[in-house]
């Protein structure tokens, strides 16, 4: 597939291997039909991959469909098959895929986790992830030169991704991914303390100041492998005794709590680096119902009661 970013290509290969090959991998390209694809999607929703005993969400199934549609489209373009069966298949709708609820923590659960992880070497990284909603790749690719503590802001300009067995610096997921994120006062304090501790560790092992290095790194200044960071996070979650989520769910928690607090969806979208505010609204629609009720009460409160209206209706 031409024109794909290395990280995207790696993700495509992983998902095809996990969700497609075990079920229809033995078929020739010309043997793939819309009906077989629909059966695959139903199987994934019901049973998931053969590595697990429960179904996957519509978002995952929709992603597998997107990969297949592009792969089969390339096969048509190359003259290997006459038509793209994925174009006539019926995967979960894009809206259903985005609206599938994501695991998140409540404010209290987040506080419990952060209190439990206060002495963890990656505490500052967990805190920044929770208060900014950045992706793991953006968090681990953040440099001190991208952070302005005095102005309480940080800029997302690069990511840390895995290609094969090696770590590489990449670009944000989209143009909107390159963004400026405002920091709250406590997050600034957490980062300031982290910087001092990082430099103290650097001097202790005889390494020069880390001012030009990654914000979150190993003691020797080298990057943290995303898988190691994710594993470390899971250990902290287990010790804290809070519901199990993965690192990326801190991003979902940030967005959900922000919307529930009444922060404008466009601002939440900008902080997350979404391509459009509609993606934010569709993805976090589960957080909207309570906002709808609050909006109704607020607008109704502006008008006040209409004298005698309710009594007339009841009588």
């Amino acid at each position: 597939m031409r024109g794909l970013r290395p990280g995207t290509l790696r993700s495509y290969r992983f998902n095809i291997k996990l969700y497609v090959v075990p079920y229809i991998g033995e078929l020739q390209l010309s043997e793939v039909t819309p009906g077989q694809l629909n059966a695959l999607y139903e199987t994934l929703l019901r049973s998931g991959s053969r590595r697990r005993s429960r179904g996957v969400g519509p978002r995952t199934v929709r992603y597998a469909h997107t990969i297949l549609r592009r792969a089969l489209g390339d096969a048509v373009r190359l003259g290997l098959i006459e038509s793209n069966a994925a174009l006539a298949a019926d995967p979960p709708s894009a809206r259903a895929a985005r609206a599938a609820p994501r695991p998140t923590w409540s404010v209290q659960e987040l506080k419990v986790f952060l209190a439990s992880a206060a002495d963890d070497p990656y505490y500052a990284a967990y805190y920044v992830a929770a208060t900014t909603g950045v992706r793991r790749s953006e968090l681990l690719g953040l440099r001190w030169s991208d952070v302005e503590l005095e102005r309480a802001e940080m800029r997302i300009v690069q990511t840390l991704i895995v290609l094969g067995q090696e770590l590489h610096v990449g670009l944000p997921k989209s143009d909107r991914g390159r963004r400026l994120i405002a920091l709250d006062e406590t997050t600034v304090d957490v980062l300031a303390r982290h910087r001092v501790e990082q430099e103290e560790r650097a001097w202790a092992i005889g390494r020069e100041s880390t001012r030009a290095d990654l914000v979150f790194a190993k003691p020797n200044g080298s990057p943290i492998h995303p898988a190691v960071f994710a594993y470390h996070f899971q250990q902290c979650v287990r010790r804290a005794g809070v519901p199990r989520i993965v690192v990326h769910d801190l991003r979902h928690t940030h967005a959900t709590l922000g919307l529930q607090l009444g922060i404008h969806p466009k601002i939440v979208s900008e902080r997350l680096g979404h391509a459009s505010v509609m993606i934010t609204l569709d993805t976090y629609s589960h957080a909207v119902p309570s906002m709808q009720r609050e909006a109704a009460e607020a607008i109704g409160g502006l008008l006040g009661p209409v004298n005698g209206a309710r009594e007339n209706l009841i009588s």
Side-chain angles (χ1 to χ4, degrees), residues 224-284:
I224 301 169
H225 194 289
V228 172
F229 183 73
Y231 174 78
H232 216 275
F233 175 78
Q234 286 302 316
Q235 296 301 103
C236 289
V237 170
R238 181 182 58 79
R239 288 194 296 269
V242 291
R244 184 181 181 276
I245 66 172
V246 298
V247 173
H248 196 70
D249 294 330
L250 286 177
R251 175 174 168 85
H252 300 321
T253 296
H254 174 84
T256 300
L257 293 179
L259 290 170
Q260 290 175 344
L261 287 171
I263 297 175
H264 196 288
K266 189 175 188 304
I267 301 301
V268 175
S269 180
E270 290 175 351
R271 289 179 68 80
L272 296 177
H274 280 167
S276 75
V277 69
M278 290 307 300
I279 293 176
T280 307
L281 290 171
D282 285 345
T283 302
Y284 300 104

Side-chain angles (χ1 to χ4, degrees), residues 28-313:
Q28 297 293 319
L29 284 174
S30 59
E31 297 174 333
V32 178
T33 67
Q36 288 166 329
L37 294 181
N38 288 339
L40 168 65
Y41 303 153
E42 288 296 326
T43 298
L44 292 176
L45 288 168
R46 182 178 63 255
S47 306
S49 73
R50 291 180 176 174
R51 297 183 186 178
R52 53 190 291 171
S53 58
R54 66 182 187 278
V56 298
R59 177 183 173 87
T60 300
V61 177
R62 179 80 186 182
Y63 188 47
H65 167 75
T66 298
I67 300 169
L68 285 168
R69 184 183 63 194
R70 177 156 186 170
L72 293 173
D74 285 347
V76 171
R77 180 175 55 81
L78 295 172
L80 301 176
I81 53 177
E82 293 184 359
S83 62
N84 184 343
L87 295 178
D90 297 308
S93 68
R95 179 176 291 273
R98 289 196 292 264
R102 313 296 174 79
T104 59
W105 281 335
S106 66
V107 174
Q108 185 58 35
E109 289 165 342
L110 180 57
K111 287 182 176 180
V112 169
F113 169 77
L114 291 173
S116 175
D119 295 327
D120 189 87
Y122 297 152
Y123 169 77
Y126 303 149
Y127 199 99
V128 172
T131 59
T132 64
V134 295
R135 301 174 177 90
R136 178 180 62 179
S137 60
E138 297 168 343
L139 184 74
L140 298 182
L142 187 67
R143 302 166 300 181
W144 284 116
S145 58
D146 305 324
V147 179
E148 291 286 346
L149 295 180
E150 295 80 8
R151 299 176 61 178
E153 60 187 28
M154 68 184 195
R155 190 173 295 278
I156 301 300
V157 297
Q158 70 173 30
T159 61
L160 184 70
I161 58 176
V162 182
L163 297 179
Q165 301 299 318
E166 298 182 351
L167 297 177
H168 293 267
V169 172
L171 297 175
K173 192 173 181 179
S174 65
D175 290 340
R176 291 288 182 89
R178 295 175 63 91
R179 61 198 188 278
L180 187 68
I181 301 177
L183 305 175
D184 66 278
E185 184 177 347
T186 304
T187 299
V188 170
D189 290 341
V190 167
L191 281 169
R193 289 197 300 269
H194 171 68
R195 188 169 192 170
V196 171
E197 293 169 357
Q198 188 182 63
E199 292 184 338
E200 288 176 347
R201 287 194 298 269
W203 286 111
I205 63 174
R207 190 166 61 86
E208 292 184 357
S209 175
T210 61
R211 287 191 180 278
D213 290 346
L214 295 170
V215 174
F216 305 111
K218 297 178 182 178
N220 64 2
S222 61
I224 301 169
H225 194 289
V228 172
F229 183 73
Y231 174 78
H232 216 275
F233 175 78
Q234 286 302 316
Q235 296 301 103
C236 289
V237 170
R238 181 182 58 79
R239 288 194 296 269
V242 291
R244 184 181 181 276
I245 66 172
V246 298
V247 173
H248 196 70
D249 294 330
L250 286 177
R251 175 174 168 85
H252 300 321
T253 296
H254 174 84
T256 300
L257 293 179
L259 290 170
Q260 290 175 344
L261 287 171
I263 297 175
H264 196 288
K266 189 175 188 304
I267 301 301
V268 175
S269 180
E270 290 175 351
R271 289 179 68 80
L272 296 177
H274 280 167
S276 75
V277 69
M278 290 307 300
I279 293 176
T280 307
L281 290 171
D282 285 345
T283 302
Y284 300 104
S285 60
H286 60 280
V288 173
S290 62
M291 296 169 61
Q292 289 270 17
R293 172 55 54 191
E294 292 171 2
E297 297 294 341
I299 294 173
L302 292 176
L303 301 177
V306 179
N307 294 334
R310 185 172 180 82
E311 290 77 0
N312 292 336
L313 287 173

